């Protein structure tokens, strides 16, 4: 069961996003002494079939288009008139037999009302509409979306349609402005992000309660997906679920087609579950690590608490103006100090930092922006350089934090043979390892703890609500309530 239900989605959210873009692009054009006319023009996602078959894959809207228009359906186009500020949707003209196989063919007025736009036309009317609304300009200017995604190294696909050669196009202006608009979240966006976190947090707790040794990893994935969809209306997951146990928890992106969450886990294994539901395009990204039998061993506690201390230290230090590279280094240092205290490492932690030893145990970045995409846009705008050192080069942003950013905090500590063996053989780093102790941990796998944070005016707010302390996890896995019942809670009833 669940205490939650899917909240209504305010389409005003996307009107606010469009206004934000309009203000930003007008300011840019004014500062560049360019006229305030033309159209922002985007193409929505296209429905795809599975290879050569007639099986249509479940459609999910292209993210920039979702951000500006909130449209669920495929094959739309959208525009914003920079001069008037008016928004326009272009919808596909559907064949008559659509009504037989796929349902009612809705009128233009339905989409105007549903998506709160100013005008709606058919896709085959694009040229006519632009010419009529271009205030006499012979070649209306279209600002198209084309630019690099710094997480994937892929480029956004600019809109195209038959007859587009009749228009002037600009491929450079829109992308950096729109990507930056997505970095700072509105209050309406934060409400959806919070719900995605709430239902996903609840699902993680449900999995903890129901897991027992002897199950398959995919059964944990199934429980999570069922809960977020059944009670939260999350038809899509934010990313492929990582349900790793034992050695698999040291595989950073486990769960893909070649490693499909299919191991039978055993008493004594640690589980690392990285899963997040998506609600109306907005993501969550939560990782919980726990022993599948409900009781931490002393060695598991050592590694878990090293990561938890890093997680909590970063959250305590986060506020506007703080640099994200410094937060990553804080997490690394905290983990290295814990490993030294546990006799896994020996020597001077400052020297370990110089030798980038932290990247051996945490090769990924500390976190990433999150919003309509799990790895959201704006990590490396022009002027922000990606670090080149081990570990740091995996950071998905090197920016200073700003109020309204949503970013994950996900430190980890893993025993990855492909990294440990070379480091233990390297003349510069071998001296730091206590070989006797590390032998005990080489099959532990790894621990990651991940929460979703929004940066506030004087700190940050954690949107994730799952058991984190070892005693909390053990209590929940033994059947205890979450959140725990306190004296205050009882007196309030």
């Amino acid at each position: 069961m669940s205490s939650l239900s899917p909240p209504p989605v305010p389409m005003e959210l996307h009107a606010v996003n469009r206004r934000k873009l309009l203000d930003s692009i007008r300011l840019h054009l004014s500062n560049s002494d360019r006229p305030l006319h033309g159209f922002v023009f985007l193409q929505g996602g296209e429905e795809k079939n599975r290879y050569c078959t007639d099986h249509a894959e479940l459609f999910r809207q292209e993210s920039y288009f979702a951000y500006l228009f909130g449209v669920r359906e495929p094959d739309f186009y959208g525009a914003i008139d920079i001069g008037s500020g008016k928004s326009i949707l272009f919808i596909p003209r559907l064949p008559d037999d659509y009504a037989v196989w796929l349902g009612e063919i809705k009128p233009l007025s339905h989409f105007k009302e549903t998506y709160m736009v100013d005008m709606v036309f058919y896709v085959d009317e694009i040229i006519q509409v632009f010419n009529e609304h271009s205030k006499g300009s012979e070649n209306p200017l279209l600002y198209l979306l084309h630019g690099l995604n710094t997480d994937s190294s892929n480029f956004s696909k600019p809109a195209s349609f038959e007859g587009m050669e009749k228009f002037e196009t600009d491929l450079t202006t829109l992308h950096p402005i729109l990507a930056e608009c997505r970095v700072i979240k509105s209050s309406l966006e934060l409400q959806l992000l919070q719900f995605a976190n709430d239902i996903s947090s609840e699902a993680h707790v449900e999995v903890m309660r129901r897991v027992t040794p002897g199950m398959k990893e995919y059964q944990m994935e199934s429980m999570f997906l069922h809960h977020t969809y059944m009670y939260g209306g999350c038809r899509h997951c934010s990313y492929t679920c990582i349900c790793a146990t034992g050695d698999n928890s040291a595989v950073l992106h486990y769960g893909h087609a070649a490693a499909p969450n299919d191991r039978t886990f055993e008493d004594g294994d640690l589980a690392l579950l990285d899963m997040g539901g998506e609600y109306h395009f907005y993501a969550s990204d939560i990782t919980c690590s726990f022993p599948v039998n409900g009781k931490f061993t002393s060695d598991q506690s050592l590694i878990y608490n090293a990561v938890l201390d890093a997680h909590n230290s970063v959250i305590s230090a986060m506020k506007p103006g703080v640099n994200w590279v410094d937060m990553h280094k804080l997490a690394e240092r905290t983990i290295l100090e814990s490993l030294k205290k546990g006799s896994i490492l020996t020597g001077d932690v400052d020297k370990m930092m110089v030798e980038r030893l932290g990247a051996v145990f945490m090769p990924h970045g500390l976190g990433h922006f999150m919003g309509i995409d799990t790895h959201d846009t704006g990590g490396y705008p022009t002027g922000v350089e990606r670090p080149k050192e081990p570990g740091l080069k995996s950071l998905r942003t090197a920016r200073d934090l700003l109020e309204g950013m949503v970013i994950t905090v996900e430190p980890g500590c893993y025993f990855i043979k492909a990294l440990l063996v070379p480091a233990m053989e390297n003349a510069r780093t071998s001296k730091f390892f206590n070989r006797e102790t590390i032998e005990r941990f080489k099959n532990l796998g790894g621990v990651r703890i991940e929460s979703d944070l929004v940066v506030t005016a004087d700190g940050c707010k954690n949107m994730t609500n799952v058991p984190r302390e070892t005693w909390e996890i053990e209590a929940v896995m033994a059947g205890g309530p979450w959140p725990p019942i306190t004296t205050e809670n009882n007196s309030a009833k």
Side-chain angles (χ1 to χ4, degrees):
M1 295 299 292
S2 173
S3 62
L4 301 169
S5 58
V9 176
M11 281 298 149
E12 181 193 351
L13 179 156
H14 302 287
V16 168
N17 291 348
R18 292 194 295 272
R19 171 55 62 181
K20 185 178 184 181
L21 171 63
L22 190 61
D23 291 345
S24 297
I25 200 166
R26 282 175 172 173
L27 179 63
H28 173 83
L29 294 175
S30 295
N31 290 341
S32 308
D33 294 321
R34 294 165 69 184
L36 301 183
H37 67 69
F39 299 88
V40 168
F41 184 55
L42 273 73
Q43 183 173 358
E46 302 170 73
E47 190 168 56
K48 303 282 187 185
N49 283 358
R50 181 184 289 174
Y51 305 116
C52 67
T53 75
D54 62 354
H55 169 68
E57 302 282 5
L58 178 61
F59 176 73
R60 196 273 192 185
Q61 187 59 264
E62 192 278 327
S63 293
Y64 282 104
F65 199 83
Y67 176 79
L68 289 178
F69 297 101
V71 170
R72 294 185 296 270
E73 298 89 344
D75 304 320
F76 276 50
Y77 290 77
I80 303 171
D81 186 333
I82 292 172
S84 69
K86 292 189 180 300
S87 53
I88 310 167
L89 277 180
F90 298 96
I91 74 170
R93 200 184 292 270
L94 301 172
D96 290 342
D97 66 353
Y98 181 100
V100 176
W101 298 100
L102 295 169
E104 178 189 357
I105 297 176
K106 298 181 175 69
L108 296 178
S109 58
H110 165 82
F111 297 101
K112 183 175 185 292
E113 181 181 339
T114 298
Y115 294 121
M116 287 182 62
V117 293
D118 296 301
M119 294 173 276
V120 180
F121 301 95
Y122 290 108
V123 168
D124 55 30
E125 298 174 308
I126 286 176
I127 294 175
Q128 175 189 338
V129 170
F130 280 156
N131 285 331
E132 287 177 358
H133 289 83
S134 59
K135 297 185 177 177
S137 171
E138 289 186 12
N139 297 303
L141 176 59
L142 305 182
Y143 289 95
L144 306 180
L145 188 69
H146 181 65
L148 179 70
N149 182 308
T150 59
D151 284 304
S152 66
S153 297
N154 294 325
F155 282 83
S156 301
K157 177 187 172 185
S160 63
F161 60 91
E162 192 173 340
M164 193 170 177
E165 67 279 359
K166 298 174 183 175
F167 297 86
E168 285 187 52
T169 57
D170 179 314
L171 286 169
T172 60
T173 300
L174 178 59
H175 186 273
I177 295 172
L178 184 50
E180 190 63 20
C181 285
R182 286 173 56 181
V183 171
I184 306 298
K185 272 51 180 186
S186 70
S187 60
L188 291 172
E189 289 182 290
L190 289 174
Q191 289 174 26
L192 294 188
L193 286 163
Q194 184 62 67
F195 176 74
N197 256 270
D198 288 343
I199 193 66
S200 298
S201 295
E202 195 178 74
H204 271 279
V205 172
E206 182 69 10
V207 174
M208 279 185 198
R209 288 196 173 117
R210 295 177 61 185
V211 69
T212 55
M215 295 173 71
K216 290 281 193 180
E217 291 166 335
Y218 59 69
Q219 290 178 285
M220 297 188 288
E221 177 180 17
S222 175
M223 285 186 268
F224 179 87
L225 296 175
H226 170 75
H227 193 93
T228 54
Y229 196 3
M230 178 80 174
Y231 301 109
C234 299
R235 194 174 195 189
H236 292 273
C237 212
S238 300
Y239 50 92
T240 302
C241 290
I242 298 170
C243 295
T245 61
D247 283 351
N248 293 339
S249 58
V251 180
L252 300 180
H253 284 169
Y254 183 74
H256 56 88
N261 295 330
D262 63 353
R263 177 178 177 268
T264 302
F265 50 86
E266 302 168 1
D267 197 350
D269 284 344
L270 270 178
L272 187 161
L273 305 188
D274 188 339
M275 307 181 288
E278 175 183 296
Y279 185 71
H280 185 67
F281 311 119
Y282 282 86
S284 62
D285 188 357
I286 299 169
T287 306
C288 296
S289 298
F290 55 87
V292 298
N293 63 10
K295 288 287 183 184
F296 284 90
T297 66
S298 58
D299 284 351
Q300 289 171 346
S301 292
L302 194 162
I303 304 305
Y304 184 88
N305 285 322
V307 177
L308 183 61
D309 287 347
H311 170 272
N312 293 346
S313 295
V314 168
I315 290 174
S316 295
M318 283 174 60
K319 61 182 179 180
V322 167
N323 182 263
W324 196 240
V325 179
D326 293 339
M327 292 296 93
H328 181 97
K329 289 179 178 177
L330 172 61
E332 279 187 332
R333 179 178 290 277
T334 305
I335 290 168
L336 291 174
E337 286 172 346
S338 295
L339 296 182
K340 179 181 175 181
K341 198 177 296 182
S343 299
I344 295 171
L345 299 177
T346 184
D348 188 286
V349 173
D350 287 336
K351 291 178 180 175
M352 295 179 198
M353 293 289 291
V354 170
E355 297 297 341
R356 302 294 313 128
L357 195 67
V360 173
F361 294 95
M362 186 172 76
H364 60 73
L366 174 65
H368 49 80
F369 292 146
M370 191 188 78
I372 272 190
D373 286 318
T374 309
H375 298 154
D376 218 17
T377 59
Y380 287 97
T382 301
V384 178
E385 295 295 320
R386 184 185 291 274
K388 296 179 173 57
E389 301 94 325
L392 301 180
K393 66 184 178 183
S394 297
L395 278 165
R396 295 184 184 272
T397 187
R399 293 178 63 164
D400 292 344
L401 297 181
L402 299 170
E403 183 179 359
M405 286 177 170
V406 171
I407 194 162
T408 66
V409 174
E410 50 178 305
C413 181
Y414 316 88
F415 293 84
I416 304 171
K417 295 176 180 66
L419 297 177
L420 271 175
V421 172
M424 292 172 72
E425 293 174 351
N426 185 303
R428 299 179 67 92
T429 53
S430 61
K431 61 189 175 186
F432 297 120
F433 293 93
N434 184 333
R435 281 169 167 70
E436 255 184 59
T437 311
I438 210 163
E439 188 69 20
R440 215 169 69 225
F441 288 84
K442 67 178 185 181
N443 295 318
L444 181 137
V447 169
R448 181 163 64 251
I449 299 173
E450 180 179 17
S451 300
D452 303 335
L453 284 295
V454 56
V455 181
T456 60
D458 56 359
C460 62
K461 175 182 178 283
N462 193 344
M463 295 190 288
T464 304
N465 181 19
V466 293
R468 290 304 192 196
E469 299 291 340
T470 55
W471 67 266
E472 292 176 331
I473 292 170
E474 290 180 349
V476 165
M477 293 186 75
W482 184 259
I485 295 172
T486 64
T487 306
E488 283 182 20
N489 289 343
N490 283 333
S491 62
K493 289 180 179 178

